[in-house]
Amino acid sequence: MTLRTETSAAGKTAAADGEGVIDLEDGDSAMTISAGGQKVEQRVVDQVVYQKLPPKQRAQIPGDKPWIKIDLKKAAAEQNSGSSNQINDPAQSASLGKGITDRNTEKVGKATVDGGRTTRYRVTVDIDKLPGGAALKRQVGPTVPMDIWLDDQGRIRRQQITMNLKPTDRADKTTAVPERMTVRTLIEFSDFGAEVDPEVPSAGQTTDMTGKIGNQQS
């Protein structure tokens, strides 16, 4: 899969590009993320994010270890979204397809994606059907439109979505959006059936930053 995310707020736009492999069934993935002129190696195993940071950022992490980890399940239980600009779980973006409803579905036309024939549809995503949908609903509303490109076998080859996030109340610790922002995400899938078996870094090479990443200065 390839992934591109653009976040715009206060007249500024930041982009992150990712490339790697993902298991769409269990959410495990391995990819390289490029943002701000730097590259981060990232692995997600059993909803735990492992990142190998560039040397400049690594120097700000206690323990002087090459990898950090963020347990997404624990972060959610602690009402900490863990939403850093450096954390981009591709399974979360890919899971938007689970919220597609049969309402307001429109066939847009034909298109070629990665050399294959596809049909483009504009669909509606029901936020209530998504993991963590309650918090997201407060920011984007009950539904958002999304474009998907399906191949002749009914597989999603590309999905594109734009979310306009409202600022959250400072007392609401479940999200971290201090001002209005727009997030555009484009994902493309290919080579279905590829092996996905990311290796978990050893404990001796890893610093647990669950619930702490938001306090680090970039």
Side-chain angles (χ1 to χ4, degrees):
M1 68 173 295
T2 61
L3 178 149
R4 179 173 179 82
T5 300
E6 294 181 351
T7 304
S8 302
K12 298 181 179 180
T13 299
D17 293 282
E19 182 177 10
V21 293
I22 181 172
D23 187 322
L24 293 174
E25 186 171 337
D26 62 23
D28 289 358
S29 63
M31 64 191 314
T32 300
I33 299 172
S34 301
Q38 300 188 81
K39 290 187 177 182
V40 174
E41 183 181 348
Q42 176 176 290
R43 303 170 189 172
V44 181
V45 182
D46 293 333
Q47 295 187 48
V48 178
V49 176
Y50 301 88
Q51 290 187 339
K52 189 175 185 180
L53 302 177
K56 181 179 178 181
Q57 296 179 4
R58 192 183 307 166
Q60 302 174 42
I61 304 297
D64 193 28
K65 298 178 182 179
W67 291 85
I68 65 170
K69 76 179 239 184
I70 301 99
D71 188 318
L72 300 178
K73 290 179 289 187
K74 287 184 179 179
E78 295 168 1
Q79 293 191 331
N80 184 332
S81 67
S83 57
S84 161
N85 290 335
Q86 299 169 343
I87 303 173
N88 197 333
D89 179 9
Q92 186 176 32
S93 298
S95 71
L96 291 171
K98 297 177 181 178
I100 293 176
T101 72
D102 56 4
R103 297 179 297 172
N104 304 323
T105 298
E106 174 189 357
K107 183 177 179 179
V108 178
K110 301 289 185 178
T112 300
V113 176
D114 194 28
R117 297 185 305 172
T118 67
T119 303
R120 180 179 180 179
Y121 297 90
R122 186 153 296 138
V123 299
T124 298
V125 177
D126 186 339
I127 300 301
D128 282 330
K129 294 184 178 181
L130 302 178
L136 184 58
K137 185 177 180 178
R138 291 195 290 272
Q139 296 173 283
V140 303
T143 63
V144 292
M146 180 171 73
D147 284 12
I148 59 173
W149 286 253
L150 302 182
D151 64 15
D152 293 340
Q153 299 182 52
R155 303 175 300 190
I156 296 180
R157 300 299 301 270
R158 174 188 289 165
Q159 70 178 50
Q160 178 177 278
I161 191 167
T162 299
M163 290 189 179
N164 296 306
L165 305 177
K166 302 175 184 177
T168 54
D169 191 309
R170 291 185 178 183
D172 184 357
K173 300 182 183 300
T174 62
T175 52
V177 181
E179 58 188 337
R180 185 177 297 275
M181 67 172 59
T182 299
V183 180
R184 300 179 180 87
T185 304
L186 176 68
I187 306 177
E188 292 192 353
F189 301 100
S190 60
D191 298 325
F192 291 87
E195 182 178 353
V196 183
D197 188 21
E199 182 179 351
V200 174
S202 67
Q205 296 292 302
T206 307
T207 299
D208 191 342
M209 297 297 294
T210 303
K212 303 175 185 177
I213 192 69
N215 298 323
Q216 297 299 314
Q217 300 297 319
S218 56

